[in-house]
Amino acid sequence: MVAAISPSELKALEASLLNASGNVPLHNRFRALFTLKSLKNEDAVRIISEGFKDPSALLKHELAYCLGQMKQTSALSTLESVLKNPTEDPMVRHEAAEAMGAISSTESIPVLTQYLSDPNRSVRETCEIALAKITWDNSEEGKKHTVTGNSGIELTYTSIDPAPPTSGLLSGQPKPEDTTGKSIDALRSTLLDIQLPLFERYRAMFALRNIGSAAAVDALAAGFSDDSALFKHEIAFVFGQLLSVHSVPSLIKVLQDGNESDMVRHEAAEALGGIATPEVLPHLKEWMVREDSPRVVRESCEVAIDMWEYENSDQFQYANGLDGAQVAVSAVGA
């Protein structure tokens, strides 16, 4: 966490994220982004918002995610513009809608409702989930959860999730019965039930994440058989949070599947980078350079390799963008 930085350091981060020199490696730009995210102030919102001019869908997707996690309402106008842009990559538009759900302002309800009929399925589904989250946050259950705050097991995961875990696993350590096969089976059944609203299936997903056992990972991996790219991409994201070695085979399978959505494969690559076991590195290196690898997959592998190297190093924190940012500033003579 960056408590406070000087104006020159802020300028360095801006130059790094926005690639002012034209030769800042993507993984350094990601580190600058997550350093800015930790600031949670208006300067960070402004700089991150400028990044949407970049041609990289992966970077813009991550910009939107960070704006949502910062939970600054000043970012809503930028996120709305991204969602409303029909020429923007659907992966970026979906993330903008999800970020609006994370910020959870009732002001976002009209625009999210408008795009429930978007031509792109992932955008439609994300708007559905974001609206359900805003509704839940303003319900009695949601308000009670906000007042009591996160505790116990939830402290492991500091992210603002698209949906809260299934009731009973909202806070505190899981009860003994929550870790039985019966409980996991019930959550798996909800997770895979395509007749249920996506929001409820997501709640089961995050409940399984909070259990975190090998059986819970197996239940989550079963979700890769779904036909929704959005749903599968969220499972891969959850595996990136869990950092369970048990999930590696299913993630490698997703990364290697050329018929799978780029959005899902990219998230699988980044999850593998975070898990950072020796066997994942050759796969990440392969898909970073393969000619048939889509750009978003190649770039995700580059970032994932940087994550892998960080996890296997003695670096204190990943969001150390100031180290690379100073280089970016000197390169442009700032």
Side-chain angles (χ1 to χ4, degrees):
M1 175 67 70
V2 179
I5 63 173
S6 68
S8 62
E9 289 173 326
L10 185 67
K11 189 174 183 180
L13 288 170
E14 181 174 6
S16 182
L17 175 63
L18 303 183
N19 193 16
S21 67
N23 58 8
V24 182
L26 184 63
H27 59 268
N28 283 350
R29 300 176 71 189
F30 265 59
R31 290 196 180 212
L33 170 60
F34 280 89
T35 305
L36 285 163
K37 168 181 169 286
S38 70
L39 300 179
K40 295 185 178 180
N41 61 28
E42 295 306 309
D43 283 329
V45 169
R46 173 185 57 79
I47 294 169
I48 292 172
S49 297
E50 283 292 313
F52 285 102
K53 299 173 184 176
D54 198 89
S56 170
L58 177 67
L59 178 66
K60 290 184 286 188
H61 151 278
E62 211 69 27
L63 296 173
Y65 171 76
C66 287
L67 287 178
Q69 294 299 299
M70 290 164 68
K71 212 171 173 61
Q72 303 289 309
T73 55
S74 58
L76 286 175
S77 59
T78 295
L79 294 168
E80 288 183 12
S81 296
V82 172
L83 175 59
K84 291 177 178 179
N85 183 0
T87 65
E88 184 56 89
D89 189 292
M91 189 174 85
V92 183
R93 296 179 63 224
H94 120 75
E95 199 65 49
E98 185 172 299
M100 291 163 69
I103 295 171
S104 199
S105 168
T106 55
E107 296 177 13
S108 298
I109 291 176
V111 67
L112 289 169
T113 301
Q114 178 183 349
Y115 287 92
L116 284 171
S117 57
D118 192 84
N120 183 270
R121 178 178 177 179
S122 293
V123 173
R124 294 197 305 271
E125 291 179 340
T126 306
C127 289
E128 173 192 335
I129 295 168
L131 283 165
K133 181 182 182 298
I134 294 172
T135 299
W136 186 87
D137 285 343
N138 286 278
S139 69
E140 289 305 312
E141 183 184 14
K143 289 177 181 177
K144 181 179 179 181
H145 181 52
T146 300
V147 170
T148 56
N150 294 340
S151 60
I153 194 169
E154 284 193 286
L155 290 178
T156 306
Y157 307 106
T158 58
S159 59
I160 302 171
D161 300 320
T166 300
S167 298
L169 287 173
L170 282 172
S171 62
Q173 295 295 328
K175 301 174 184 177
E177 62 268 25
D178 290 329
T179 59
T180 65
K182 182 178 179 181
S183 176
I184 291 174
D185 285 346
L187 289 169
R188 173 178 173 145
S189 179
T190 298
L191 179 80
L192 302 180
D193 189 346
I194 60 174
Q195 302 302 319
L196 292 175
L198 271 173
F199 187 70
E200 293 306 314
R201 299 175 67 195
Y202 265 48
R203 295 192 70 179
M205 186 189 303
F206 287 102
L208 286 164
R209 178 201 66 182
N210 285 2
I211 292 174
S213 65
V217 168
D218 288 338
L220 287 164
F224 282 134
S225 63
D226 202 89
D227 67 352
S228 166
L230 179 74
F231 185 78
K232 289 182 286 188
H233 121 288
E234 198 66 31
I235 289 175
F237 175 80
V238 163
F239 281 161
Q241 292 185 305
L242 270 171
L243 300 178
S244 169
V245 174
H246 194 66
S247 68
V248 166
S250 63
L251 288 168
I252 290 177
K253 183 178 179 181
V254 168
L255 175 60
Q256 292 177 329
D257 186 357
N259 294 319
E260 184 55 88
S261 165
D262 295 351
M263 183 167 74
V264 184
R265 296 176 71 197
H266 114 76
E267 206 69 66
E270 292 190 12
L272 289 167
I275 296 170
T277 50
E279 72 269 28
V280 309
L281 188 59
H283 297 283
L284 295 173
K285 287 184 174 179
E286 174 190 358
W287 286 99
M288 187 178 74
V289 299
R290 280 182 60 147
E291 291 184 0
D292 61 339
S293 184
R295 175 175 177 175
V296 70
V297 175
R298 293 197 310 270
E299 291 182 341
S300 294
C301 287
E302 176 189 338
V303 172
I305 290 170
D306 184 56
M307 294 166 62
W308 188 97
E309 292 173 346
Y310 157 73
E311 293 293 344
N312 287 280
S313 75
D314 58 359
Q315 294 179 51
F316 176 67
Q317 61 179 0
Y318 179 76
N320 63 349
L322 282 171
D323 292 345
Q326 298 296 347
V327 175
V329 166
S330 62
V332 296

